[in-house]
Amino acid sequence: MRKLRVAILISGRGSNMQALIGAAQAAGYPAEIVLVISNRPDAAGLALAEKAGVPTRIVDHKAYPSREEFDAALEEALVAARPDVVAFAGFMRILTTPFIERLRGKAVNIHPSLLPLYKGLKPQQQALDAGATESGCTVHWVTPGVDEGPIIAQARVPVLPGDTADTLAARILTEEHKLYPRAIAMIARGEASFPD
Ligand code: GAR
């Protein structure tokens, strides 16, 4: 069976990217990672991808005078890799609506909360501030509203007494590393698709 071609967008550490690369190294996994793109030249994840033998590209947002021009360069880099799916993995740039519309049904994101709760920045701190007793992570289709697209899969973790944003983030991250490969496999097997 043909494997799903996945391009990954990162901005930093790249631990979710690494989890996807690791999953795709298993023979029976239904997806392959064809490209990693970072909008930051100093993203630590770039070296991890290179070490794993995955092609990398840098599309530095600071090199483009406008969001439209950055998006055009990103789109050109993506198209060349012919991905079936574009996986945002700690990708911290807001893209223009027309570009996101062109990615409709093709782009997915992971967010460290149980969406629709705690969208946007610092979701772990948001959970603590709200007095939540559980939180988690969500893989969802990307649509123009930030962290708003249809949900593909979620995993839950408890919020424990004494948690800080860092301890909660670490507990959630462990689940992210399992959830993202599972969600991509669901898409590859046709078990998840963008709703009509
Ligand atoms: C992850 O926790 C991811 O869910 C989050 O950033 C972290 C990236 O870590 N993404 C967002 O908050 C997007 N809204 P990583 O670079 O080690 O994968």
Side-chain angles (χ1 to χ4, degrees), residues 4-119:
L4 190 81
R5 294 174 63 82
V6 178
I8 303 177
L9 301 184
I10 64 169
S11 297
R13 182 175 56 181
S15 72
N16 276 291
M17 172 211 76
Q18 198 168 29
L20 289 171
I21 290 173
Q25 281 167 347
Y29 192 73
E32 60 182 322
I33 311 306
V34 296
L35 179 65
V36 168
I37 301 178
S38 174
N39 67 304
R40 297 183 61 111
D42 60 349
L46 284 169
L48 299 175
E50 277 157 23
K51 202 166 160 201
V54 176
T56 60
R57 288 279 306 269
I58 295 166
V59 183
D60 183 354
H61 62 273
K62 291 193 181 136
Y64 299 90
S66 68
R67 285 193 183 274
E68 286 74 16
E69 283 157 284
F70 168 69
D71 283 9
L74 184 56
E75 188 163 13
E76 195 181 311
L78 277 173
V79 165
R82 292 177 291 108
D84 301 304
V85 163
V86 179
F88 293 31
F91 181 65
M92 303 309 251
R93 279 308 280 178
I94 305 276
L95 302 175
T96 61
T97 298
F99 183 32
I100 290 185
E101 292 290 3
R102 284 196 293 283
L103 288 173
R104 195 178 187 80
K106 204 168 175 175
V108 296
N109 180 44
I110 188 159
H111 183 76
S113 76
L114 294 173
L115 291 174
L117 293 174
Y118 319 133
K119 298 171 185 171

